Amino acid sequence: MDEFHRDLLFLLHDVARLLRVDADKRARLHGMTRAQWAILIWLERQPGISQKELSELLEVEPITVARLIDRLEARGMVERRPDPRDRRIWRLHLLRPARDVLHEIDQQRAEMTRLVTAGIGEESIESMIEALMRMKATLTQEAHASRRGAEHVDTETREAV
């Protein structure tokens, strides 16, 4: 049984799930959703991102992002601006009211970080961050290699037809 509780993949999954549950609760206390918070964070980091690019980052359907943006737009936090080169694309930008919410999100994220790292030494936290970054890089490279392999197979299939 101890092996099961120490299984790295299950632990990573469980910790991520528990963090999502905690973030959901915190967002609800502020009349928002975790998904809305995620959008605001991404728009702060990448101003002018398109709805399609944002849906890819969030791993949700474009229509889901469009509905979330509609709600944030109605609250005066986000605005859609046409892309100067392609009128089919909407670029997303934060508005002033989003800044206060982002400040609150930053405070909540800091509290969540304190919560999950309580009792863990700074050196261990730094090692954990490095290990997780390495894992992410490996998985990202693998995903890109798989995608390129699939594209190569698709090209060969189309050429054979």
Side-chain angles (χ1 to χ4, degrees):
M1 188 64 160
D2 191 44
E3 285 179 34
F4 175 73
H5 292 291
R6 297 184 58 80
D7 183 292
L8 177 63
L9 297 179
F10 276 100
L11 284 168
L12 287 169
H13 178 269
D14 284 348
V15 169
R17 180 183 53 80
L18 291 166
L19 282 169
R20 286 190 304 271
V21 168
D22 188 55
D24 284 335
K25 179 183 71 176
R26 291 169 187 267
R28 270 194 311 276
L29 290 173
H30 293 88
M32 296 187 75
T33 66
R34 178 172 41 97
Q36 289 172 319
W37 276 14
I39 286 175
L40 294 179
I41 291 168
W42 276 112
L43 292 182
E44 182 179 45
R45 292 177 181 177
Q46 294 186 28
I49 192 171
S50 73
Q51 287 184 191
K52 182 180 185 302
E53 293 164 334
L54 186 56
S55 71
E56 289 168 2
L57 286 170
L58 295 173
E59 297 179 339
V60 297
E61 293 297 319
I63 190 67
T64 303
V65 168
R67 289 181 182 134
L68 289 164
I69 295 298
D70 288 345
R71 289 187 200 114
L72 291 169
E73 202 172 35
R75 293 177 76 160
M77 292 185 196
V78 173
E79 87 175 337
R80 292 175 169 104
R81 296 180 196 159
D83 184 288
R85 291 176 295 283
D86 187 339
R87 62 189 177 107
R88 298 169 297 174
I89 298 173
W90 290 102
R91 297 287 169 187
L92 305 171
H93 297 273
L94 293 176
L95 296 175
R96 176 97 305 313
R99 300 292 170 197
D100 294 335
V101 174
L102 280 162
H103 179 72
E104 179 60 33
I105 292 169
D106 288 343
Q107 289 179 330
Q108 294 296 323
R109 288 171 43 87
E111 178 58 32
M112 290 173 72
T113 300
R114 279 190 293 279
L115 178 69
V116 299
T117 59
I120 302 173
E122 193 61 41
E123 193 173 301
S124 292
I125 293 169
E126 198 53 44
S127 294
M128 193 172 11
I129 290 169
E130 290 298 321
L132 289 168
M133 288 175 62
R134 194 170 303 124
M135 289 177 196
K136 180 180 177 181
T138 299
L139 290 170
T140 301
Q141 286 174 337
E142 182 65 27
H144 289 304
S146 295
R147 218 174 300 132
R148 280 194 303 273
E151 290 169 2
H152 180 70
V153 169
D154 286 349
T155 303
E156 287 178 352
T157 304
R158 279 192 300 264
E159 291 172 357
V161 174

